[in-house]
Amino acid sequence: MARRTAASSYDERDVRVRPGRGSRPRSKLRPAHADATPALVIAVDRGRYTCVLDGRTVTAMTARELGRKAVVVGDRVGLVGDVSGAPGTLARIVRVEERTTVLRRTADDDDPVERVIVANADQLMIVTAVADPEPRPRLIDRALVAAFDAGIEPLLCLTKADLADPAALLASYAPLQVPAVVTRLAPGSPIGVGEVAEHLRDRATVLVGHSGVGKSTLVNALVPGADRATGQVNVVTGRGRHTSTSAVALALPDGGWVIDTPGIRSFGLAHVDPGRLILAFPDLAAETPACPRGCTHADGAPECGLDAALAAGRVDPARLASYRRLLASRDLQAGDWDA
Ligand SMILES: Nc1nc2c(ncn2[C@@H]2O[C@H](COP(=O)(O)OP(=O)(O)O)[C@@H](O)[C@H]2O)c(=O)[nH]1
Ligand SMILES: [Mg+2]
Ligand SMILES: [Zn+2]
């Protein structure tokens, strides 16, 4: 992770890379714990971590040597102590494995508080209803940027297809070539659940979306016994109630995890580097070596190679326009799924 805070400066990796940093002796920072049992964190609640290993659930707390490093849902950890999972037992997390991806609640680099809420996700499912509530393309765009920037593959899920035709919304995202599925989970004849399950199989997928779009209904259809509360819409404001802000990972019957995240209500994108975002668009990135140094590739950027490629017919105009729309969404007001 790029950001270093006081809280994370006792991270073991720092010690390895920068010997001499900090005053604590190495032996205390790097205890043996060769016997630590690998486990996956699936829920966090008030300093108690629910972990799974060998199909059983173990409750753990963090060991002192982790310092104030946050442990989040999706983290791969090492446990010591009582890992039986028997009622009343408490194991200790002594190690957090390096994360492949991080998803942050916001991404303000000068924010001193650890905002990572999900680690190691490989897919972000952006759930949007075609109606009730109305789609919010700006928030979809921002979620896409967050996913591309984090190296997490996006998946669009358009729900409530019984209420309106999803065609226009699908068409507006087609140039980005983001996979999309359409669902209809109104009582009667559900459609789309099998297709969503295929996309989620054997992957760790984070769900985001506005309250009321049908996330919990979908999770209940995907995970037998999940029993997520649905339909909690506040009749006065039209907003969903937020009873919980912590993420929880639920095991999918065909393998993989779906991570419900009431905590993600917006994405801070101030940190997003256009030079990195374009890597998610290899066909466009191939046209940028000729760009002036520091080119933003934005609409109107002087001598941008993408404009030359457009003029020469080497890039699809709709795709370039969509990419630039995403790029511009970085600069829009952060917004909120529930604003
Ligand atoms: N018409 C229709 N209603 C749906 C569909 N899926 C969910 N709903 C309803 O939408 C409301 C909000 O769903 P919920 O799963 O709680 O949304 P969440 O806030 O995103 O978790 C509930 O009343 C659901 O019954 C759908 O496909 N069609
Ligand atoms: Mg819900
Ligand atoms: Zn450029």
Side-chain angles (χ1 to χ4, degrees):
M1 286 184 295
R3 187 162 50 85
R4 189 179 311 283
T5 65
S8 68
S9 65
Y10 291 117
D11 186 309
E12 292 175 309
R13 272 168 285 148
D14 291 320
V15 174
R16 208 180 308 138
V17 175
R18 291 174 226 266
R21 224 183 114 92
S23 56
R24 291 216 253 163
R26 190 184 172 95
S27 57
K28 273 196 189 162
L29 283 165
R30 294 182 55 76
H33 294 316
D35 56 333
T37 309
L40 171 71
V41 177
I42 60 164
V44 179
D45 186 27
R46 283 163 294 179
R48 291 290 181 268
Y49 300 83
T50 307
C51 307
V52 285
L53 56 113
D54 297 335
R56 70 182 186 278
T57 303
V58 174
T59 304
M61 58 185 283
T62 50
R64 185 164 299 168
E65 64 250 44
L66 284 181
R68 291 180 55 221
K69 183 180 169 61
V71 176
V72 301
V73 168
D75 264 327
R76 307 246 160 218
V77 297
L79 297 180
V80 300
D82 189 337
V83 297
S84 67
T89 61
L90 197 56
R92 279 184 306 133
I93 299 174
V94 292
R95 191 162 64 223
V96 180
E97 304 300 343
E98 196 157 351
R99 295 163 177 163
T100 58
T101 65
V102 294
L103 202 60
R104 299 170 192 281
R105 189 186 312 243
T106 65
D108 300 330
D109 281 348
D110 52 1
D111 190 336
V113 183
E114 182 69 89
R115 297 290 186 182
V116 173
I117 51 170
V118 179
N120 303 319
D122 44 35
Q123 189 164 244
L124 183 72
M125 182 158 77
I126 304 162
V127 187
T128 305
V130 292
D132 187 31
E134 285 305 304
R136 293 170 170 238
R138 183 184 288 194
L139 289 177
I140 300 172
D141 286 351
R142 291 178 60 85
L144 287 170
V145 171
F148 288 130
D149 180 65
I152 299 174
E153 284 182 41
L155 169 66
L156 276 182
C157 179
L158 306 186
T159 60
K160 307 198 186 188
D162 53 308
L163 300 183
D165 186 350
L169 201 53
L170 283 173
S172 71
Y173 285 93
L176 290 170
Q177 295 166 14
V178 172
V181 286
V182 174
T183 64
R184 184 184 67 196
L185 299 184
S189 49
I191 58 163
V193 177
E195 203 185 333
V196 173
E198 278 308 309
H199 280 278
L200 268 48
R201 183 195 295 265
D202 287 334
R203 313 189 70 184
T205 301
V206 175
L207 240 82
V208 293
H210 194 281
S211 285
V213 296
K215 295 182 299 296
S216 299
T217 304
L218 189 57
V219 167
N220 288 340
L222 291 164
V223 183
D227 205 19
R228 307 292 285 169
T230 62
Q232 299 183 327
V233 174
N234 183 314
V235 290
V236 177
T237 63
R239 298 176 189 180
R241 252 185 278 135
H242 294 273
T243 49
S244 159
T245 53
S246 58
V248 58
L250 301 159
L252 291 159
D254 294 333
W257 297 87
V258 61
I259 302 155
D260 201 2
T261 56
I264 300 184
R265 297 181 62 186
S266 64
F267 291 101
L269 301 178
H271 69 296
V272 171
D273 171 3
R276 202 162 65 217
L277 182 65
I278 200 159
L279 299 179
F281 302 83
D283 53 324
L284 300 182
E287 302 292 345
T288 58
C291 289
R293 215 182 131 88
C295 183
T296 61
H297 317 311
D299 220 357
E303 292 172 62
C304 179
L306 293 172
D307 292 311
L310 182 66
R314 289 195 303 271
V315 299
D316 170 14
R319 182 160 163 85
L320 178 56
S322 294
Y323 163 72
R324 284 180 162 164
R325 190 188 71 218
L326 290 196
L327 195 58
S329 78
R330 266 186 332 149
D331 304 323
L332 300 172
Q333 246 209 307
D336 191 313
W337 292 106
D338 295 303

